Amino acid sequence: MSRGGFRAGAGRKKNSGLFGEKTVARRIPQSLAPALDQYLSNLATSTKLGENIKFIFTPQEHSLQLPFFSSKVAAGLPDIADEHQDYLNLNEHLIPSPDSSFMVRVTGDSMIEAGIHNEDILVVNRDINPKDGHIIIAAVNGEITVKQLILKNDHVILMPANPQYSPLTITQSMDFRIWGVVTSVVHHLGK
């Protein structure tokens, strides 16, 4: 009896997965695999997100366009607004590179002075080359964090925006990976 090779009827049935379509493999750095596995596991088992996992991972074909008034709103003295109205596509405005972007929810207050609060949603672009001063999402020894990237005298420092937290200087012994640069913050007022 031969073993291995093709066997009729073996394996996953065509288009039988959660999304009902063919699957593809993705390669990620080995060091990121545990963090990604943990994130996906938490996402799938979360009572809040688990029910909506198909919606989260299914590309949405529609775009949201809201009325956009061309006059600016004065943050100082009141100004008279004009009636000119256009439309602003929020998808294009907040996520100009959807193929290289992802979103993540913030936990904690280490970046509060940068306008990033607990429960805010960050839009992150993986294709932007991280530079000094950028706010980034990084994995440090398997833990995901959002901090300001400081490049100083051949040192990499992750700087919080809250004096109650200390900067973290990255050393050679640390497993450090930058996942992307934060491009937008979705922050609800009155929470």
Side-chain angles (χ1 to χ4, degrees):
M1 171 186 282
S2 83
R3 303 245 180 215
F6 176 77
R7 291 182 314 217
R12 176 180 256 177
K13 303 302 177 225
K14 188 174 182 179
N15 301 332
S16 66
L18 176 64
F19 294 92
E21 61 185 90
K22 186 176 179 179
T23 60
V24 295
R26 292 284 188 242
R27 293 187 165 280
I28 61 169
Q30 185 176 7
S31 62
L32 292 181
L36 183 60
D37 290 345
Q38 182 65 45
Y39 173 76
L40 292 174
S41 175
N42 290 344
L43 185 64
T45 58
S46 166
T47 56
K48 186 175 182 182
L49 296 176
E51 301 167 354
N52 300 320
I53 195 165
K54 185 171 182 178
F55 174 79
I56 291 166
F57 288 114
T58 303
Q60 303 300 308
E61 294 182 12
H62 63 280
S63 65
L64 176 60
Q65 293 190 21
L66 297 176
F68 181 69
F69 291 90
S70 62
S71 61
K72 297 182 179 182
V73 176
L77 297 174
D79 196 3
I80 298 174
D82 65 22
E83 300 272 335
H84 180 72
Q85 174 183 324
D86 200 357
Y87 286 89
L88 176 68
N89 182 324
L90 291 179
N91 292 351
E92 291 173 6
H93 182 71
L94 293 175
I95 311 171
S97 305
D99 291 339
S100 61
S101 297
F102 65 93
M103 300 173 91
V104 64
R105 187 176 299 276
V106 175
T107 300
D109 62 355
S110 70
M111 295 300 290
I112 200 158
E113 290 184 3
I116 299 173
H117 299 82
N118 187 45
E119 295 293 313
D120 283 355
I121 296 173
L122 305 179
V123 179
V124 183
N125 190 320
R126 295 183 310 256
D127 282 348
I128 295 175
N129 185 26
K131 296 181 181 166
D132 182 53
H134 278 166
I135 295 177
I136 62 166
I137 301 295
V140 181
N141 295 331
E143 292 190 30
I144 310 303
T145 188
V146 56
K147 297 289 182 282
Q148 184 178 24
L149 178 66
I150 304 295
L151 303 173
K152 186 176 182 181
N153 300 330
D154 295 329
H155 288 96
V156 174
I157 302 167
L158 298 184
M159 183 67 69
N162 183 334
Q164 295 179 359
Y165 295 86
S166 300
L168 175 63
T169 301
I170 302 300
T171 65
Q172 297 242 342
S173 66
M174 294 177 171
D175 181 18
F176 172 67
R177 305 276 186 239
I178 296 176
W179 282 20
V181 174
V182 175
T183 58
S184 297
V185 179
V186 180
H187 173 76
H188 291 280
L189 299 176
K191 281 183 104 175

